[in-house]
Amino acid sequence: QVQLVESGGGLVQAGGSLRLSCTASGRTFGTYSMAWFRQAPGKDRDFVSVISWSGAITKYADSVKGRFTISRANAKNTVYLQMNSLKPEDTAVYYCAAGPIATMKGSDFGSWGQGTQVTVSS
């Protein structure tokens, strides 16, 4: 397993942008698929995006397609989530996760960060 630390959350107005970062410890970061999930108050944790270890495969939830972009820099042990055209419904705690394959199921990921709050005001 790896230890993951998210950063970059905050308060932004609707239509604005944020870039989340997730930095991992350890030398095996480049072998993991990395994903972002989010959880709004009173709701289940939802898949947002995933990227394979090489970056060749990316997947997005329908609700964020065309607005969010996932990328990774293996040399920096970091995965990013660029969020544009933010909407109030994007408000949630965002978690990054590491796992062996690029799926959309949270149960496939064994390592999780502590989360970072994103709040989008209308």
Side-chain angles (χ1 to χ4, degrees):
Q1 291 189 342
V2 294
Q3 282 70 52
L4 305 173
V5 178
E6 302 97 335
S7 61
L11 174 63
V12 64
Q13 288 187 332
S17 298
L18 283 174
R19 188 176 81 156
L20 304 183
S21 300
C22 173
T23 301
S25 63
R27 299 181 179 180
T28 59
F29 174 80
T31 66
Y32 287 96
S33 290
M34 299 297 297
W36 289 95
F37 290 80
R38 67 186 181 185
Q39 187 167 24
K43 296 188 177 181
D44 292 335
R45 183 179 61 195
D46 290 331
F47 167 79
V48 175
S49 184
V50 65
I51 187 167
S52 61
W53 67 270
S54 67
I57 298 171
T58 58
K59 301 176 184 178
Y60 297 92
D62 288 343
S63 59
V64 306
K65 279 182 183 176
R67 300 188 298 122
F68 290 11
T69 302
I70 192 170
S71 61
R72 65 189 297 159
N74 287 346
K76 297 182 179 181
N77 279 16
T78 301
V79 62
Y80 305 98
L81 186 67
Q82 178 67 44
M83 306 186 295
N84 298 328
S85 302
L86 282 161
K87 305 175 181 180
E89 50 264 44
D90 294 317
T91 294
V93 177
Y94 284 70
Y95 298 90
C96 72
I101 55 176
T103 76
M104 296 185 284
K105 295 190 302 181
S107 58
D108 288 334
F109 294 87
S111 298
W112 293 81
Q114 82 290 348
T116 186
Q117 176 71 46
V118 171
T119 303
V120 184
S121 63
S122 58

